[in-house]
Amino acid sequence: MFLVVFRNRKRAGMDGTAYDRDSDAMLALAERQPGFVSFKSYAADDGEVIALSEWEGEAAARAWGRQAEHLLVQGRGRADYYASYTLFACAEPRIHRFERKDEP
């Protein structure tokens, strides 16, 4: 597993409709990429967003980062959508699980 965490804040006054369109298109494209496992996004009350994508391995995640259409939208993100972002990528994350056995 290879985990990518994209922590970001949007620009004030950005075009939310254009962002949503690009975001939806990128998710649909990512889901078709070899090695894609999952994607989830969470927004905090203060506006920060955490997006988590899981890939089968580092090569798959890096290939996604270099995908031509994704590169174009990344540029729009820096120019138009994001005030700031930090990307964290980790191979072989330490995983701890808990699952209550008495829950349905």
Side-chain angles (χ1 to χ4, degrees):
M1 178 211 315
F2 193 83
L3 184 64
V4 178
V5 180
F6 183 62
R7 186 176 174 178
N8 67 80
R9 290 187 181 276
K10 308 295 186 299
R11 292 179 63 184
M14 67 142 198
D15 184 344
T17 301
Y19 176 85
D20 290 344
R21 183 181 56 246
D22 280 343
S23 180
D24 291 346
M26 289 302 95
L27 177 56
L29 185 60
E31 288 173 335
R32 295 191 305 270
Q33 298 306 298
F36 174 85
V37 175
S38 69
F39 175 83
K40 293 183 180 175
S41 182
Y42 305 92
D45 291 339
D46 69 357
E48 183 177 44
V49 175
I50 304 290
L52 305 170
S53 63
E54 187 178 344
W55 300 85
E56 288 178 358
E58 183 174 0
R62 287 188 177 274
W64 167 241
R66 293 187 304 266
Q67 199 278 349
E69 190 175 346
H70 186 207
L71 285 169
L72 290 172
V73 173
Q74 288 175 45
R76 274 200 299 275
R78 286 187 294 276
D80 300 332
Y81 303 141
Y82 297 113
S84 65
Y85 68 78
T86 305
L87 187 134
F88 304 88
C90 62
E92 301 181 34
R94 216 173 34 208
I95 300 170
H96 300 268
R97 289 193 170 99
F98 170 80
E99 188 174 328
R100 185 170 301 280
K101 300 297 181 197
D102 60 348
E103 294 292 317

